Structure formats: structure tokens, C-alpha cells
């Protein structure tokens, strides 16, 4: 479960649909949340062994598998795993491409930052794929000269529509206990609303994992306005029944939940935390952007949407256009063109 897993599985499925042989390699053996096509070979660690990351065994597994499969190209999601793969395959002539996933302002733990810098100074991938033009402007100086770059947005999976009435509920989706997701800002925002008819629904964690959020809601006396749905497998039905989607994050790379909500026809609001978000939401046309950190302004915009159904419908209808722009076959073709051009 997670943004990288969603992006990787969506692309893998689309590649396989087009007749490309795909091996999907996992560094960890975790509970499966997304589905892979039957034609994809899933490679993962033995579940009976320790799930702790090992900087010796992991590279050996990567090297052993690559030598066995002999792939034409290797696409790695995440800067650190890219560095790990470059180290693992040192001396072997594989075409390695890195897909940067995190916000361009995200920093890893200090020891991982050092590892990344050392590896990318020694080795270089053939290509680097950034999620947004803004991310490219920040990230490209990190990599060695000679690495080719391409900006490709995330592929949008097929979002299933449901013919159900929309409820007076604001939906937020993401992992809990992550300061960068900004859910605390959303709870505070909800306490400022003039409208008292709507509820706030969280998907991605339950009341226990969201204990701090619940305690904040209690402090603000709005705990009866909040629902915790836990990890929702059929998120599309939740998109369909919700009235507004909100992304209160302090930073993101390319938020899958946002584009899925837009594809489901939801009017969406987000903080304009970096110029990359403007490549998804065109303020006033297919969503609403609010000045970063301005919680009162966020509450004002929420109140406005809650009171204006026609505006919710207009923004939601325009948001649906993202289906064509980010269709998985369109995005996968951009990946394939970039890889084949090198």
C-alpha cells in the first residue's frame, strides 16, 4: 500500500497488456494491496526470512535476479532503491532508469542521503524520470552529467464509477502518522467552518493509528464530525459517494489520490505547496488552490464549496478531463518512447 506501489503496479500492468514481458521485483515481502496481471512474474523475498532490510543480501538478490532474467531495461522507483540497484549491478551493462517519486523537497535520513550522494557520484543511470516540471528543475542537478531526463506524470489507473448520490462528506486519503500529509491542518480547518452539516472522512488509517488526529479533534470539540475508515480496498466507491476531496499535504511528489479523486469527478482543494501541484490543478477550472499554510483560507474555500452545489459539479466535471491526460496507455507510451530512444 502506497504511492510508489500504486504507480509501479499500474505501469507494470499496462506494459504487460501491451505484450511487454515484465518482472516485478520487490525488495520486501509485504501484504499485497494492489493487483498485478497474471502474466507478470513477481519476485520477492522468502516470507519465512527476516523482513528487515539488509544492505548485503538485498544487492545480492538484485544482482542474481538481473543476471538470471537479463532484462533489456530496468526501471527503478525511488532514488534510494535506484542507488541500491546501481551498486548491485556495478560492472554489468544493464540499462537502468530511475523514476523519482518523492517530493523534490523530501530528504532521506542522513545516512541514506550520504549513501545516495556517493553512489550517484560513482555510477549514473541511463535516464531519470521526474514526475513534474518543477521536480525536474530541482532534481536534475543531483545526477551525474550524461544522464538523460524526461518529465512524465503518473499513470492514472482505471477509476470505477458508481451511480450513487453524493453525501455531505469531505474525503482525505493517505497514510497516517506522517507529518507531511498535513492531516492535522485539516482537522484544525474543520473546526473553523461555518457549515455544520458536513463530515470529514479519513481513508488510510483507523482511529487507533490516527490517535493524535482524534485527540486534536476532541480538543477542538469536533470529534463527532470525523470518521476513520481505515485502509479502504475499494476506494472508488468512497470517491463516488463523497462531495469534496481535500489534499492538505505539506509536500507531495505527484499525489495519486488527488488525480484519482479528480477522475471520479470530485471537486478538489489543495494547498499550493510547490509549483508542481499547479501541473495537476488549474485553480478555478478543475479545482481550487489555497496559499500554503493558510488554514483560514482553506476553511473559507471549503465553506464556499459546501454551500454551492453548482460549483462543485462544474469543478468536478472539469476535473474528469484528467482521465484522458493521464490514461495509463498514454503515460506508459511516454515511458516506452523514452526508454527506446536511449
Amino acid at each position: 500500500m502506497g504511492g510508489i506501489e500504486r504507480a509501479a503496479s499500474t505501469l507494470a500492468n499496462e506494459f504487460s497488456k501491451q505484450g511487454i514481458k515484465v518482472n516485478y521485483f520487490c525488495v520486501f515481502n509485504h501484504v499485497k494491496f494492489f493487483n498485478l496481471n497474471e502474466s507478470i512474474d513477481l519476485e520477492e523475498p522468502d516470507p519465512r526470512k527476516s523482513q528487515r532490510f539488509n544492505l548485503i543480501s538485498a544487492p545480492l538478490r538484485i544482482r542474481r535476479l538481473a543476471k538470471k532474467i537479463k532484462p533489456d531495461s530496468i526501471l527503478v522507483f525511488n532514488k534510494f532503491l535506484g542507488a541500491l540497484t546501481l551498486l548491485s549491478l556495478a560492472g554489468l551493462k544493464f540499462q537502468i532508469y530511475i523514476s523519482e517519486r518523492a517530493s523534490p523537497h523530501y530528504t532521506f535520513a542522513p545516512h541514506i542521503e550520504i549513501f545516495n550522494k556517493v553512489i550517484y557520484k560513482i555510477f549514473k543511470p541511463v535516464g531519470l524520470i521526474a514526475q513534474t516540471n518543477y521536480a525536474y528543475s530541482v532534481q536534475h542537478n543531483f545526477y551525474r552529467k550524461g544522464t538523460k531526463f524526461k518529465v512524465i506524470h503518473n499513470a492514472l489507473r482505471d477509476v470505477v464509477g458508481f451511480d450513487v448520490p453524493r453525501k455531505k462528506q469531505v474525503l482525505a486519503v493517505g497514510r497516517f502518522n506522517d507529518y507531511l500529509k498535513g492531516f492535522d491542518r485539516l482537522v484544525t480547518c474543520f473546526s473553523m467552518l461555518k457549515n455544520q452539516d458536513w463530515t470529514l472522512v479519513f481513508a488510510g488509517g483507523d482511529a487507533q493509528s490516527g490517535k493524535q488526529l482524534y485527540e486534536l479533534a476532541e480538543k477542538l470539540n469536533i470529534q463527532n464530525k470525523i470518521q476513520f475508515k481505515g485502509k479502504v480496498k475499494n476506494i472508488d466507491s468512497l470517491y463516488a459517494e463523497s462531495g469534496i476531496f481535500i489534499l492538505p499535504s505539506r509536500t507531495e511528489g505527484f499525489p495519486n489520490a488527488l488525480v484519482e479523486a479528480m477522475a471520479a469527478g470530485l471537486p478538489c482543494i489543495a494547498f499550493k505547496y510547490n509549483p508542481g501541484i499547479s501541473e495537476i490543478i488549474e485553480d478555478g477550472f478543475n479545482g481550487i488552490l489555497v496559499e500554503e499554510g493558510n488554514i483560514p483560507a482553506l476553511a473559507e474555500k471549503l465553506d464556499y464549496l459546501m454551500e454551492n452545489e453548482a460549483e462543485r459539479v462544474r469543478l468536478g466535471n472539469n476535473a474528469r478531463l484528467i482521465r484522458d491526460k493521464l490514461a495509463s496507455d498514454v503515460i506508459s507510451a511516454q515511458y516506452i518512447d523514452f526508454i527506446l530512444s536511449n
Side-chain angles (χ1 to χ4, degrees), residues 36-208:
L36 291 176
N37 293 349
E38 292 183 358
S39 61
I40 296 174
D41 288 338
L42 175 64
E43 308 283 350
E44 56 187 344
D46 188 333
R48 296 169 298 180
K49 297 182 179 179
S50 172
Q51 291 300 293
R52 295 184 64 183
F53 178 77
N54 187 302
L55 194 53
I56 297 177
S57 63
L60 289 175
R61 284 183 54 236
I62 294 172
R63 190 176 183 89
R64 184 167 58 249
L65 184 66
K67 292 174 72 173
K68 173 186 174 184
I69 297 172
K70 297 181 176 63
D72 297 307
S73 301
I74 298 173
L75 177 59
V76 189
F77 290 79
N78 175 281
K79 178 187 287 183
F80 166 66
L81 293 182
L84 181 69
T85 302
L86 287 168
L87 175 64
S88 305
L89 302 181
L92 302 178
K93 296 181 179 181
F94 287 110
Q95 301 285 300
I96 300 172
Y97 297 82
I98 313 297
S99 179
E100 276 269 21
R101 310 309 305 173
S103 161
H105 299 300
Y106 177 81
T107 55
F108 291 91
H111 63 288
I112 296 180
E113 286 287 340
I114 293 172
F115 176 79
N116 288 342
K117 288 178 182 179
V118 170
I119 296 302
Y120 285 113
K121 277 188 176 296
I122 300 172
F123 307 105
K124 72 173 183 179
V126 174
L128 186 285
I129 296 142
Q131 296 178 105
T132 63
N133 289 299
Y134 176 68
Y136 163 73
S137 71
V138 175
Q139 294 165 344
H140 79 281
N141 287 328
F142 180 85
Y143 295 87
R144 284 182 58 185
K145 291 182 179 180
T147 296
K148 297 183 178 180
F149 285 85
K150 179 75 173 179
V151 175
I152 306 177
H153 294 328
N154 276 6
L156 175 66
R157 66 174 178 82
D158 292 332
V159 177
V160 179
F162 293 83
D163 187 16
V164 295
R166 294 203 181 273
K167 300 177 182 178
K168 291 184 176 182
Q169 66 184 33
V170 177
L171 176 64
V173 177
R175 61 183 176 273
F176 283 5
N177 301 319
D178 185 342
Y179 174 78
L180 297 179
K181 291 300 180 183
F183 290 151
D184 57 311
R185 306 200 290 186
L186 181 50
V187 172
T188 300
C189 167
F190 232 70
S191 72
M192 298 178 175
L193 295 176
K194 296 177 182 178
N195 189 294
Q196 297 298 306
D197 297 332
W198 288 60
T199 57
L200 173 59
V201 174
F202 284 111
D206 54 24
Q208 182 60 37

Side-chain angles (χ1 to χ4, degrees), residues 294-306:
N294 193 335
I295 298 176
L298 183 66
E300 182 181 333
K301 292 296 186 181
L302 264 180
D303 268 323
Y304 169 72
L305 278 185
M306 289 172 175

